[in-house]
């Protein structure tokens, strides 16, 4: 996906609305334990474009702070940002986070089995996206498979370490560094920021801060998130540029391992039904979680098909000259 192709996209009301919808989907994913916003960005077709624009924003901030020619570097980097793409995306994300924070917390707490089943279907179907992208790229098959298996094993093991308790009065230092790590989910498919917050006990406090408009908490969280983005985005863009096939397969492995957190039937030592515990066999009315998992998978496949058609249409618009403008 090239920068040139991005700059050719016309800003129209339909595209603004589409990007806001994409942002809303990514924002929803950021609220759900076990689901990565990066995964959704991959599914809706804006992952590398989002990385590029976040990298430009990071370059602008670094230029402003470190120089040389701070003002010129800052303004130059900002001019290269696709504001017609990034602003609707961010507005959609922020709107959904503010609106849905309380609803999501209530849903996950009240219906842990059913909500996990829905999320399981969403993430499982999303595995198709990085896998298909990776198969189109040149590279060592053995190295790619090894990266996939190691990433899956590491993700599965790390998910199992989650305690699921809640920190009642977290320090702002803890909030800052937790945000720096959790925001990585925005750019690393398969890594759930919400699940990380759940594991260290900050999931419920963060949702409550959003729902209660706790500006102090949210300001510290935002500062930590900016630091996290500034450090990881450049690394990811380098990996995708130089080891694309292996990186995409590692992302798929992370997503596969993260399904450990989303298996509907679990027992938690902490007594928190939303926490991660020992995986157990299906119990109760199994058909309801299974149906929800199928619905989640169907939603992802629908998004994939819609995005593929939109991408094909954009390609035609890019390569086909506008004969009405020919003298």
């Amino acid at each position: 996906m090239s920068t040139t192709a991005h700059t050719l996209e016309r800003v129209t009301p339909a595209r603004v609305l589409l990007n806001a919808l994409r942002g809303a989907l990514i924002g929803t994913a950021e609220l759900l334990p076990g689901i990565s916003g990066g995964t959704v960005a991959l599914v809706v077709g804006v992952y590398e474009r989002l990385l590029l624009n976040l990298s430009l924003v990071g370059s602008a901030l670094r230029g402003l702070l470190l120089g040389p020619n701070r003002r010129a570097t800052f303004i130059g980097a900002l001019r290269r940002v696709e504001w017609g793409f990034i602003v609707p995306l961010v507005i959609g994300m922020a709107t959904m986070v503010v609106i849905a924070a309380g609803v999501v917390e209530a849903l996950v707490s009240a219906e842990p089995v059913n909500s996990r089943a829905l999320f399981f279907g969403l993430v499982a179907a999303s595995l198709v996206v990085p896998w298909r992208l990776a198969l189109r790229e040149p590279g060592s098959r053995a190295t790619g498979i090894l990266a996939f298996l190691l990433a899956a094993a590491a993700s599965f093991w790390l998910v199992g370490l989650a305690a699921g308790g809640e920190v009642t009065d977290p320090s702002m230092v803890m909030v800052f560094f937790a945000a720096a790590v959790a925001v990585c989910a925005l750019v690393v498919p398969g890594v759930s920021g919400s699940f990380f917050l759940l594991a260290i006990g900050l999931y419920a406090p963060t949702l409550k801060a959003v729902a209660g408009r706790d500006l102090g908490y949210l300001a510290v969280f935002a500062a930590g998130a900016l630091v996290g983005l500034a450090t990881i985005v450049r690394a990811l863009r380098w990996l995708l540029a130089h080891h694309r096939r292996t990186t995409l397969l590692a992302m798929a492995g992370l997503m596969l391992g993260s399904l450990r957190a989303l298996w509907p039937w679990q027992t938690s030592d902490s007594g928190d039904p939303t926490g991660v515990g020992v995986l157990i066999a299906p119990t109760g009315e199994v058909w309801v979680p299974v149906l929800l998992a199928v619905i989640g998978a169907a939603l992802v496949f629908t998004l994939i098909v819609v995005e593929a058609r939109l991408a094909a249409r954009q390609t035609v618009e890019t390569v086909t000259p506008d004969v009405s403008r020919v003298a």
Side-chain angles (χ1 to χ4, degrees), residues 5 21 24 51 53 65 117 137 173 220 243 257 313 316 318:
L21 177 60
L51 277 187
N53 283 278
L65 294 174
E137 301 296 329
V173 173
V220 172
H243 305 282
R313 183 180 302 175
V316 171
T318 301

Side-chain angles (χ1 to χ4, degrees), residues 100 105 151 174 256:
E105 183 190 11
M174 180 181 184
L256 179 63

